[in-house]
Structure formats: C-alpha cells, structure tokens
Amino acid sequence: MEKKFTLASKTLSAFREQANRENLSAKHQEKIETILKDIVNRESIHQLINLIEAGEEVEQIFHCFHLFGDLAITPLLEILVREDDMARRKTICSILADIGKNDLDALGSKISDKRWYLVRNIVNILGRIRNSETIKYLRETAKHPDYRVRSETVQALGAIKNQEAIELLIYLLNDPAIHP
C-alpha cells in the first residue's frame, strides 16, 4: 500500500501541474490556489513538522513543503517565532531554507523585524541557501543593533563565496562585539 505522504505529494504535484497549465482558465487557477491555501495553514504545518521529527516519510513531507512553496513561508515563520524547542526551530529553518530559495523576498522582508531572534533565524536560513542574491539582506543585518544577529551574519556570509561577501566579512571582523 502506498504511504499517505507519497500519495499527498503526488496529489499536490498534480494540483501544481494543473495550476501551471497555460490553457487553464483564470477561474480554475483561482480554485486550485484556494484549495492549496486551505491546505496550508499553521495547524497542518505543525502536524507535518511533528511527522518529520518522528522520522515518518521525511523526504515526501519535504517534497510537500516544496510544493506548497511560498504559501508555507508565512505560517512557518509564525511557528518559528513561537517555537521554544531548538530542535524544532532547526527543522523549521531547514524547511524554510529549502522552500525560501525560490522566494528570497518573503524571507528578506523579515530582516527589519524588531525581534532579534527572528532576524537571527532568518539570517541563518539565508546562509543555508548559499545564494549571492541574499547579500542584499545580509548587508542590512551586518548593521543590526544586536551582536547575535551580526555574528550570525558572519556565518551566513562565510557560506557565500564572492567578493561582496568577503568585503562584508572584513567589515564585520572589525566589530568588537563579535570579536572582543
């Protein structure tokens, strides 16, 4: 018997394929997007994270998150902000890095948040993505008032191998709060 998330993954893939068809009417595209939005909510995402942590069909559940795409970013960030357990935060950050690489602006829009711990996690996610396009956000976090965010920015920049990242690293290496 086929596992439930293998089936869910195939179903979501079919929905996405249909939504991306060129000859699909706007009305049908809207219906498909509405169905996907109904599926992607904080409660369903919590349940999927629990299953990942239990080791159940991890690859297929990650594939489901990938298919959710940008629809899952906001609920995942809401969960991340409230999560106390470090292991769960790491799982959430892994999911966000996987799906966020296709929507850097959704992640980058949170770097001005007042909560330093959220910004630090966003920087961690941007570092995991390892894309030079994240530097525009990391340039901002390099000036963040909290040293923990700046320190995480050093780690993220270390994962990006280009001249602009090196220049920002040199700037941050002169920060006495990071290197007392």
Side-chain angles (χ1 to χ4, degrees):
M1 184 173 162
E2 196 165 23
K3 295 189 176 206
K4 60 184 170 185
F5 285 102
T6 300
L7 182 58
S9 178
K10 287 180 180 179
T11 304
L12 284 169
S13 290
F15 268 108
R16 281 290 183 198
E17 283 177 28
Q18 289 301 313
N20 293 331
R21 279 188 20 217
E22 287 181 25
N23 61 346
L24 189 67
S25 72
K27 179 182 174 183
H28 284 103
Q29 283 180 331
E30 187 177 315
K31 277 200 178 272
I32 290 172
E33 286 301 315
T34 300
I35 290 168
L36 289 171
K37 286 177 185 175
D38 287 345
I39 294 169
V40 183
N41 59 55
R42 217 180 315 164
E43 182 58 35
S44 64
I45 288 177
H46 265 297
Q47 291 173 359
L48 291 173
I49 292 168
N50 289 340
L51 291 170
I52 288 171
E53 291 179 330
E56 295 188 34
E57 296 185 72
V58 173
E59 187 176 319
Q60 291 305 321
I61 295 172
F62 263 87
H63 186 64
C64 288
F65 274 114
H66 183 70
L67 292 168
F68 293 158
D70 61 337
L71 293 175
I73 291 176
T74 298
L76 280 165
L77 288 171
E78 290 170 0
I79 293 168
L80 180 62
V81 166
R82 293 174 178 84
E83 186 55 59
D84 292 328
D85 183 80
M86 185 187 301
R88 285 180 67 86
R89 284 195 311 267
K90 285 183 179 184
T91 299
I92 295 165
C93 287
S94 292
I95 296 166
L96 282 164
D98 186 49
I99 64 175
K101 62 187 166 201
N102 298 320
D103 194 356
L104 294 176
D105 291 337
L107 294 171
S109 69
K110 302 297 182 191
I111 63 166
S112 59
D113 194 277
K114 292 180 181 4
R115 297 165 290 195
W116 68 266
Y117 50 92
L118 174 61
V119 178
R120 183 194 60 201
N121 284 321
I122 296 295
V123 170
N124 174 277
I125 294 162
L126 294 173
R128 290 176 187 219
I129 293 172
R130 298 176 184 232
N131 183 328
S132 62
E133 292 179 32
T134 63
I135 292 177
K136 66 182 175 183
Y137 304 111
L138 298 175
R139 190 179 303 113
E140 296 301 315
T141 61
K143 302 172 199 162
H144 195 277
D146 193 288
Y147 76 92
R148 293 166 285 201
V149 172
R150 296 191 309 273
S151 181
E152 190 67 37
T153 301
V154 169
Q155 299 298 315
L157 288 167
I160 302 169
K161 310 289 190 229
N162 74 19
Q163 187 60 38
E164 193 173 3
I166 292 169
E167 290 169 10
L168 265 173
L169 276 170
I170 291 169
Y171 167 79
L172 284 165
L173 290 174
N174 291 316
D175 186 335
I178 295 175
H179 303 284

